[in-house]
Amino acid sequence: MRRTAAVLAVLAAGAVILAALNSGTRHGHLDPRSADPTGSRAVAELLKERGVTTRVVTTAREAADATGPRTTLLVTDPDRLGAGQRSAIRSAIDLSGGRTVLLAPGDHSLSDLSPGVRTEGDAGSDDLDPRCALPAATSAGRAGTGGDLRYTTALPGATACYPSGGHPTLLVLPTGTTGGDTVLLGSETILLNESLAEQGNASLALQLLGSRPDLVWYLPSLADSDPGTGPGDQDKSLLELIPAGWSWALLQLFLAAALAALWRARPLGPLVTEKLPVAIRASEATEGRARLYRKAGARDRAATVLRAATRERLAALVGVPPTRAHDPAVLVPAVSARLTGEPRDVAALLFGTTPSDDAALVALADHLDALEREVRTS
């Protein structure tokens, strides 16, 4: 059993350490600091090589304050924003004069962030051709903009690219401020580490996010969410809230516990009696316990043990049942009837008070021994 506990403890410690080490690099979905397949560290590093600085923010107020003519604002989950956050982002779009990229916005957020645009369902295929005059699209060529949302709009000046079924998956809309624009990208595929090297994804991502020297990467936090509205705010299960590293650690612990239970539940043969490595004589054990009692000054405990043992032996000698051995009304008369010598206070010896000092305890032991010897020889 101890070996099993030790094995489980080692497995648990290893799993916790592994999860802790992995948690340092797992920042989450579409996070520019994450090297996970669904992170976006690769595109952030490429932008850095091109002289674009990336700043991660988690609140709409930080995002709005950081915008300007030299800034690109990327909103990774627009549908998660509450009404106040959408209003702040909309004001930044209208006044900054920079670029705002909305990643896969649905109708829930389009009404505030990009009025006049609505969704047209999912795109049929993942990789699409540009089929537009946008320089970034024509330079990148075929890219993974499909597989998610398509859009439609009648706004003047809109540039529609990468159509699927007649509806674009990428829209570029001019804003009220000169030089500013808003990009609606229906799919997140071109920003993910696992798909950045496919088709023209890297080229399109760099041109959409690298047109200004500063990039503000807005990852909405729970505080910025709008409870009860939007697909991004549905209640999540407990497993969905556990980080990926801890999920793997818990799975490893569960498997280890199941294997240990199967191992211990299966009989591997008859029990084997092991010989003790050292045989200790009863007298030595008695002396050792006596020294412990003396060191602790436990005369009451020592006297109790001496009297209880004597009562049990005397009960067997005089025919008193073991269950009545500690009953003075039964044991004392039976023992007294066996005594032939000088009168003894049997009740005081067998059921008396605690000795006041060590000498009295030794005397009690001698008297009990003499009493038992007399009954035994009578």
Side-chain angles (χ1 to χ4, degrees):
M1 191 65 183
R2 292 182 179 179
R3 181 178 298 178
T4 304
V7 171
L8 291 177
V10 171
L11 290 174
V16 170
I17 292 173
L18 179 62
L21 292 176
N22 288 340
S23 65
T25 58
R26 294 178 181 272
H27 293 278
H29 187 64
L30 286 171
D31 195 310
R33 300 162 296 188
S34 174
D36 292 345
T38 58
S40 300
R41 183 175 178 179
V43 67
E45 291 295 327
L46 292 176
L47 288 169
K48 182 178 179 181
E49 293 178 0
R50 295 165 61 97
V52 177
T53 59
T54 301
R55 173 187 173 188
V56 178
V57 298
T58 57
T59 66
R61 178 50 53 196
E62 288 180 307
D65 292 343
T67 57
R70 295 168 52 83
T71 301
T72 298
L73 171 62
L74 170 64
V75 184
T76 59
D77 195 354
D79 286 350
R80 187 176 187 173
L81 303 180
Q85 288 72 28
R86 293 195 300 269
S87 177
I89 296 300
R90 180 61 199 179
S91 297
I93 292 174
D94 292 336
L95 302 175
S96 68
R99 166 169 288 181
T100 302
V101 179
L102 303 178
L103 193 57
D107 290 327
H108 176 68
S109 58
L110 284 174
S111 59
D112 291 329
L113 299 179
S114 188
V117 180
R118 67 177 187 275
T119 61
E120 284 291 342
D122 296 341
S125 59
D126 294 336
D127 298 327
L128 302 171
D129 294 318
R131 298 181 184 176
C132 68
L134 183 68
T138 57
S139 175
R142 189 173 179 85
T145 61
D148 206 337
L149 296 176
R150 302 178 300 166
Y151 300 100
T152 182
T153 183
L155 295 175
T159 303
C161 299
Y162 295 98
S164 174
H167 297 283
T169 58
L170 187 150
L171 271 178
V172 180
L173 306 169
T175 61
T177 305
T178 303
D181 59 14
T182 300
V183 178
L184 276 60
L185 183 59
S187 173
E188 63 188 26
T189 303
I190 68 170
L191 302 182
L192 301 179
N193 293 330
E194 61 184 358
S195 55
L196 186 65
E198 299 174 2
Q199 301 290 338
N201 292 350
S203 175
L204 183 60
L206 292 177
Q207 293 183 79
L208 292 179
L209 301 182
S211 62
R212 273 79 171 172
D214 297 315
L215 171 62
V216 178
W217 200 294
Y218 177 27
L219 298 170
S221 63
L222 290 176
D224 272 11
S225 61
D226 188 4
T229 59
D233 299 298
Q234 296 175 353
D235 292 338
K236 294 184 177 182
S237 66
L238 177 61
L239 293 178
E240 292 175 330
L241 295 174
I242 298 176
W246 289 102
S247 299
W248 281 109
L250 291 175
L251 177 60
Q252 293 176 43
L253 287 177
F254 175 78
L255 293 177
L259 292 175
L262 292 175
W263 170 54
R264 297 300 295 178
R266 179 181 178 183
L268 301 179
L271 296 177
V272 178
T273 303
E274 297 184 6
K275 294 182 179 180
L276 294 175
V278 179
I280 302 176
R281 290 182 295 180
S283 60
E284 293 180 359
T286 302
E287 291 177 2
R289 179 174 293 184
R291 291 191 188 98
L292 292 175
Y293 284 151
R294 182 178 181 181
K295 185 177 181 180
R299 285 186 296 272
D300 55 344
R301 177 61 180 166
T304 300
V305 171
L306 287 173
R307 283 170 167 152
T310 302
R311 289 196 298 265
E312 291 173 358
R313 290 193 296 268
L314 288 175
L317 292 175
V318 299
V320 173
T323 57
R324 308 297 298 275
H326 305 289
D327 186 353
V330 176
L331 183 63
V332 171
V335 172
S336 299
R338 299 288 293 271
L339 300 178
T340 57
E342 60 184 25
R344 295 174 183 269
D345 189 355
V346 178
L349 280 176
L350 298 178
F351 300 96
T353 59
T354 301
S356 59
D357 52 28
D358 291 347
L361 179 62
V362 173
L364 173 64
D366 292 339
H367 292 320
L368 290 173
D369 185 57
L371 176 64
E372 181 180 350
R373 186 167 53 251
E374 185 175 349
V375 172
R376 191 180 297 276
T377 59
S378 62

